[in-house]
Amino acid sequence: MRSTHCLDSDIREIVQRLGKDAKAFSGSRILLCGGAGFLGRYFSSVFAYLNEHVLTSPCRVIICDNLITSGQLGANVVERNGFSFKEHDIIKPLRLSTPLDYIIQAAGIASPFYYRKYPLETLEVATMGTKQVLKLGMKHRLKGFLFFSSSEIYGDPDPKHVPTPESYRGNI
């Protein structure tokens, strides 16, 4: 499988822990938002491994990313069969001609360097971007929607709230 961004042992362990649940992705169509990012690269590597070793019918993955933090090198994440790349900023409506089964919203700006450089975009991708992909999901009969966010959404937490629990209301 060889990935330059993910540990093969991590990918194998993730797939092993999925167990029988992994078969739910057989023949499915997945939109992976933020696919050039850290989480996105891991998800795409897991799906590639599933396609090669587990699934009877491979899943198809549409990777969507605006490349704001990865640059053009991020577009190279799709050098796999059944994967396609769409350069797109999810704060704007996304139109797809293919039906979807799953949406993974892993787009976000999590690096201190980048969220200082793009403070509004950091908030917009977590709010407006998620709203756009939820709207897209409502047009499909999704089997699942998975959302990831950056801790930046909580503002500047008091040190006694780090790590930040879900019950924390934020400190602006």
Side-chain angles (χ1 to χ4, degrees):
M1 172 181 61
R2 299 305 313 139
S3 169
T4 58
H5 301 291
C6 305
L7 294 173
D8 289 346
S9 59
D10 285 351
I11 303 306
R12 285 190 302 274
E13 182 177 348
I14 291 166
V15 169
Q16 178 186 9
R17 288 180 182 227
L18 282 171
K20 293 178 185 176
D21 292 333
K23 300 210 186 287
F25 295 110
S26 187
S28 65
R29 293 157 311 264
I30 303 158
L31 174 63
L32 176 55
C33 302
F38 178 75
L39 290 175
R41 290 191 307 258
Y42 263 84
F43 271 106
S44 63
S45 293
V46 165
F47 289 126
Y49 188 93
L50 288 172
N51 281 349
E52 293 171 22
H53 302 285
V54 176
L55 302 179
T56 54
S57 177
C59 62
R60 294 192 334 247
V61 181
I62 301 166
I63 294 175
C64 176
D65 203 293
N66 66 358
L67 307 177
I68 194 170
T69 60
S70 67
Q72 286 301 317
L73 290 176
N76 294 332
V77 298
V78 294
E79 297 172 354
R80 298 176 168 127
N81 286 337
F83 285 60
S84 61
F85 179 78
K86 185 168 188 69
E87 186 173 346
H88 181 78
D89 188 339
I90 64 164
I91 67 168
K92 299 176 183 128
L94 176 62
R95 289 166 186 40
L96 295 174
S97 59
T98 183
L100 295 173
D101 297 302
Y102 298 94
I103 295 177
I104 300 172
Q105 199 323 38
I109 298 175
S111 161
F113 172 80
Y114 287 110
Y115 61 70
R116 285 185 189 107
K117 186 174 179 178
Y118 302 108
L120 294 178
E121 291 86 346
T122 299
L123 296 173
E124 289 172 340
V125 72
T127 55
M128 294 166 39
T130 301
K131 180 180 179 180
Q132 291 298 338
V133 292
L134 282 169
K135 284 171 128 177
L136 177 64
M138 290 174 64
K139 295 177 183 175
H140 298 265
R141 297 193 138 197
L142 294 180
K143 296 175 183 175
F145 184 96
L146 185 59
F147 171 70
F148 289 89
S149 180
S150 160
S151 63
E152 291 315 305
I153 203 70
Y154 294 110
D156 187 16
D158 183 301
K160 68 182 178 187
H161 291 100
V162 176
T164 309
E166 289 295 322
S167 59
Y168 183 65
R169 306 248 301 147
N171 178 34
I172 309 279

